[in-house]
Structures are given as C-alpha cells and as structure tokens.
Amino acid sequence: MADRAARRLWQRCRRIAAAVDLPDPFDAAVFVTELGAARGRAVELLPLRGRHDLPCGLLVTTERADYIAYSADTAPLHRQHILLHEAAHLLCGHRAAGGADLAAARTLLPHLDGSLVRRVLGRTVYTDPQEREAELVASLILTRVTRRARGHGQAPTGDLRSIFEPGSAPATPGDPG
C-alpha cells in the first residue's frame, strides 16, 4: 500500500513539475513572478535577513496576494530552492495553516492584518504530506532546470562555490549567479 501511495505521489509531482513553464535562462524570482501572472494573482517576494528562529521560507495567502517570505542571507542555491518550494505549494494547491505558522507570519509580516490571512504554509516539518510534496516538486523543477542548462552547454543554475566558500556574499533573487 505504501509503495502505491509513493508511486502516486511521484507521478503527481512529476506531472506538476513537467507542466510549468521555465524562464530561460532560469531565475527563481522570475519563475515566481511568471507563476503569479499565469495564475492571475500577484506573488510578492519578501526577502528576510537574520531570522534563524523562524522558517527559512513561508507562504502567506491573503485576499489580495500571495507572499513568499524567504531567507535572503543564505547561499544562492538554497535561496532558489526555498523560492521553488514555496511556489510548489501554490502549484499543488495546498491549504491549511498551523498555529505556529500563523505566529511566524505575524512576526515576519507585521504589516499584514491577521484577519486577512487565509493560508500560511511554513517550511519546517517534512513529515507533513504537503511539505514532502512541495519539496519533491521543487526538486523536480530544479532537475529540469539543470538538465536544460547542461543541454545548452551552460553551467547548472546557482553558484555552487557559494555553498562551500565561507563568507561568500549571497546574491538576491534576480541577480546573476
């Protein structure tokens, strides 16, 4: 039974990841903006620095827009994956909000009226089925990006040196690298 469920999960995630249009060259911030346009609903990126006590990524949905809060002071490849993970929640149509995630949203986004928040999904627990699905979709999208880059004779997306070199300055989404 578990094998069948795992197979269905992989099939669903592959379909979702294969169906999205990817900007060329790939840029996660551009991808998120284009996803919002395709959905007819703005997705605003909110870079955050120095909040190690909160999730590294958070999707907050309000009546007006979707907000993706993300750690801006991490390696470019990690930042890219965070953005894709949160976008994957949108692609998968995930719902629900936990009390801890709502509290994190209030801390990260104090300017938002809490009564307007419809959905909060935080990237903290990977035992949750929605978190596993979002993680898999994000990874499959990155796999597509990497294969396409290699097919064009380009280096894979992201600067891998920044993961290993201490003190390397992280770029913000939209910056080359």
Side-chain angles (χ1 to χ4, degrees):
M1 183 73 104
D3 288 343
R4 185 179 303 154
R7 246 189 328 275
R8 281 195 307 266
L9 174 67
W10 271 92
Q11 290 169 347
R12 175 175 154 71
C13 291
R14 281 187 190 127
R15 277 193 309 273
I16 292 168
V20 295
D21 291 327
L22 302 176
D24 191 10
F26 185 77
D27 179 285
V30 171
F31 173 77
V32 170
T33 300
E34 289 177 357
L35 174 62
R39 295 174 66 240
R41 186 173 164 75
V43 180
E44 294 187 29
L45 297 178
L46 304 170
L48 303 170
R49 295 192 183 277
R51 298 305 306 241
H52 302 290
D53 56 330
L54 296 170
C56 58
L58 194 69
L59 170 66
V60 178
T61 297
T62 68
E63 301 250 345
R64 187 181 80 70
D66 296 308
Y67 299 88
I68 295 178
Y70 64 95
S71 294
D73 51 358
T74 188
L77 192 60
H78 184 223
R79 187 173 42 258
Q80 177 177 263
H81 193 81
I82 294 167
L83 292 174
L84 290 176
H85 175 98
E86 300 307 331
H89 282 301
L90 295 172
L91 291 167
C92 295
H94 291 162
R95 302 274 175 226
D101 290 338
L102 188 53
R106 286 186 182 128
T107 300
L108 295 171
L109 310 168
H111 64 285
L112 287 182
D113 180 348
S115 66
L116 299 178
V117 174
R118 291 178 164 176
R119 168 180 55 182
V120 179
L121 293 165
R123 188 173 188 243
T124 56
V125 179
Y126 295 100
T127 57
D128 179 84
Q130 290 186 129
E131 290 302 314
R132 284 195 313 261
E133 186 174 52
E135 192 68 10
L136 182 53
V137 168
S139 295
L140 290 169
I141 290 170
L142 281 175
T143 299
R144 279 186 60 202
V145 168
T146 302
R147 285 184 181 151
R148 183 178 67 188
R150 286 184 181 147
H152 289 104
Q154 301 167 345
T157 184
D159 184 358
L160 292 178
R161 289 177 306 192
S162 66
I163 294 172
F164 303 108
E165 292 179 0
S168 61
T172 56
D175 287 351

